[in-house]
Amino acid sequence: MSAVTYCTNIHPGESWAQTLASLENHTLAVKAALSPDEPFPVGLRVSGQASLELDIREAERFRHWLALSGLYVRTLNGFPYGRFHHVPVKAGVYLPDWRDPERLAYTKRLADLLGWWLPDDGSDAGPGSISTVPLGFRDGFDPGQEGLAFRHLRQALEHLDAVAQRTGKLIRLSLEPEPGCLLETTVDVVDFFRRFEAPPSLSPYLAVCYDCCHQALQFEDPAASLTLLADNAVPIGHVQVSSALHLESGCLDRLARFDEPVYLHQAVGRRSNGELLRLDDLPQALAGGRYDVESWRVHFHLPVFLAELPECLSTQGFLQEALPRFDPQTPLEVETYTWSVLPAELRACSLTESIIREISWVEAHRRPGRTPGPPPWPACAGGAPPR
């Protein structure tokens, strides 16, 4: 079975009917192009609304549809709960966070669904993984409420244990570090695992969702980051394969066209002494004028086959170093959910064509010794990137 797919949070739609339509309209075409004769994984986003609409009967119908279509589900994106496209999302994407009982209830619903859909033992699909908010967004999170968040997390792990006892399937809850959140660096993750102290019976159900864009934003070294996780026995449930903007200049104005109203675009500047300046959104950073930094990285997921743009580079180099270091059985998901807000020339391909090209690029770079994949500029864009 393939370990590389894409996350369906790229497709608009909050209802289950809309989710299923996107699979029929896009995912089946991706499978036909990349894995016509073998089962193909789906990195499935199920919103809060869709999770409430799905009953056992519909979940069973979907399981049969997956089998007939040659698809399987190993991972669920349980991070964005509410509407995720075409309206301002910004910091609302972290709500409800782990202080809120609804985050717990939502995660339990996802666990039940994945327990139903995850291939039975005996296949080589491996454990399931549900990505989730890294506790919450730091701004407005009272440190005194961390204990409440920890209690809800433990209850979620207890539910995953119950699912495992009932179904024989291991599903991990994978916290996804993100800039501006309580967990953003690899050091934060290791510190959390030490402080959380999951009992031995529940520790198999807790992991991290490793988003390459998010860790590149911290100017982390991929080898050092992954070694730190391994040395501290922090498992990776699945990987979000993504790139950020990288500007080798202190003049952030060059990235002004990426200031758009839907998503949060955290900006991180690195000073000459290695210190980092962190700002919660690109408009805030642009309004601040010039900063004493040598380079910037901005949270804006780009197609992973792009190494450079007219005004800057991407953090593709982080991916090239990181991809061969992941266990071959770890699920890899391309996550370019920003498709609808990308500058027009970066959408010169169709959405389906872009997804296919991104997955092909990942496949070409995740195996050591392989030669680089296709050129950084989309062939369907025609010619070389503009200067």
Side-chain angles (χ1 to χ4, degrees):
M1 290 185 177
S2 172
V4 184
T5 186
Y6 77 102
C7 184
T8 64
N9 65 356
I10 194 172
H11 303 305
E14 303 304 309
S15 72
W16 177 243
Q18 291 169 321
T19 300
L20 192 56
S22 71
L23 298 178
E24 293 170 336
N25 294 333
H26 297 284
T27 310
L28 289 179
V30 173
K31 182 211 182 307
L34 296 175
S35 186
D37 303 316
E38 297 291 332
F40 184 73
V42 180
L44 186 63
R45 188 221 166 188
V46 179
S47 71
Q49 176 184 337
S51 71
L52 291 167
E53 293 173 349
L54 277 157
D55 56 19
I56 292 298
R57 185 177 304 174
E58 182 58 33
E60 172 66 10
R61 278 198 292 265
F62 182 60
R63 184 167 69 165
H64 285 300
W65 182 85
L66 288 169
L68 290 172
S69 302
L71 303 172
Y72 67 96
V73 175
R74 184 175 168 187
T75 58
L76 294 182
N77 188 326
F79 195 127
Y81 176 90
R83 189 169 175 185
F84 195 56
H85 289 274
H86 305 316
V87 296
V89 177
K90 297 295 183 179
V93 73
Y94 309 110
L95 299 175
D97 62 29
W98 277 99
R99 297 171 294 179
D100 192 324
E102 180 51 30
R103 173 61 64 174
L104 171 61
Y106 169 52
T107 304
K108 286 182 175 180
R109 294 195 297 270
L110 295 183
D112 290 338
L113 291 169
L114 189 53
W116 196 254
W117 296 332
L118 192 67
D120 294 330
D121 284 349
S123 75
D124 58 357
S129 178
I130 301 171
S131 63
T132 191
V133 173
L135 301 184
F137 195 52
R138 186 173 284 113
D139 186 19
F141 195 107
D142 181 354
Q145 293 183 299
E146 184 183 73
L148 174 62
F150 278 22
R151 286 195 295 275
H152 287 155
L153 279 172
R154 288 192 182 94
Q155 290 176 54
L157 300 182
E158 290 168 355
H159 188 79
L160 289 171
D161 182 56
V163 171
Q165 300 305 319
R166 184 175 71 248
T167 66
K169 298 174 183 178
L170 170 63
I171 299 172
R172 292 164 168 163
L173 182 61
S174 300
L175 287 85
E176 183 180 332
E178 181 161 332
C181 292
L182 273 74
L183 309 181
E184 60 179 347
T185 68
T186 304
V187 170
D188 291 339
V189 171
V190 170
D191 179 64
F192 162 77
F193 270 74
R194 288 172 179 162
R195 291 186 296 110
F196 185 69
E197 295 182 337
S201 62
L202 298 181
S203 60
Y205 305 107
L206 186 63
V208 63
C209 174
Y210 195 94
D211 189 303
C212 296
C213 169
H214 298 171
Q215 302 319 122
L217 279 162
Q218 306 303 322
F219 288 87
E220 294 188 347
D221 174 74
S225 170
L226 295 172
T227 297
L228 185 60
L229 293 178
D231 287 349
N232 287 275
V234 177
I236 296 175
H238 65 284
V239 176
Q240 299 286 17
V241 182
S242 52
S243 286
L245 298 164
H246 175 82
L247 179 63
E248 279 293 334
S249 166
C251 184
L252 194 59
D253 290 346
R254 293 173 62 182
L255 301 184
R257 71 174 177 142
F258 292 94
D259 176 9
E260 58 80 33
V262 176
Y263 301 110
L264 201 64
H265 299 295
Q266 299 93 324
V268 183
R270 182 166 62 179
R271 296 189 169 101
S272 58
N273 62 2
E275 291 182 355
L276 300 183
L277 170 68
R278 294 182 172 91
L279 298 166
D280 283 341
D281 204 359
L282 184 55
Q284 174 191 353
L286 290 168
R290 289 193 65 86
Y291 298 89
D292 180 24
V293 301
E294 291 189 335
S295 58
W296 287 97
R297 289 183 176 178
V298 175
H299 184 201
F300 197 116
H301 287 209
L302 301 168
V304 298
F305 50 73
L306 289 177
E308 60 181 277
L309 289 77
E311 56 275 278
C312 67
L313 304 174
S314 78
T315 58
Q316 189 192 81
F318 186 101
L319 291 177
Q320 291 175 329
E321 290 189 41
L323 286 172
R325 299 178 183 276
F326 295 115
D327 186 295
Q329 297 304 311
T330 300
L332 306 178
E333 295 180 4
V334 172
E335 197 206 14
T336 313
Y337 62 81
T338 49
W339 173 263
S340 63
V341 297
L342 283 172
E345 78 273 13
L346 303 185
R347 290 183 281 121
C349 304
S350 72
L351 172 57
T352 301
E353 288 170 335
S354 186
I355 292 169
I356 291 169
R357 186 148 190 237
E358 289 196 84
I359 294 174
S360 298
W361 186 93
V362 175
E363 288 281 13
H365 286 80
R366 73 187 183 101
R367 299 181 183 90
R370 292 288 294 270
T371 55
W377 190 252
C380 50
R387 297 291 182 183

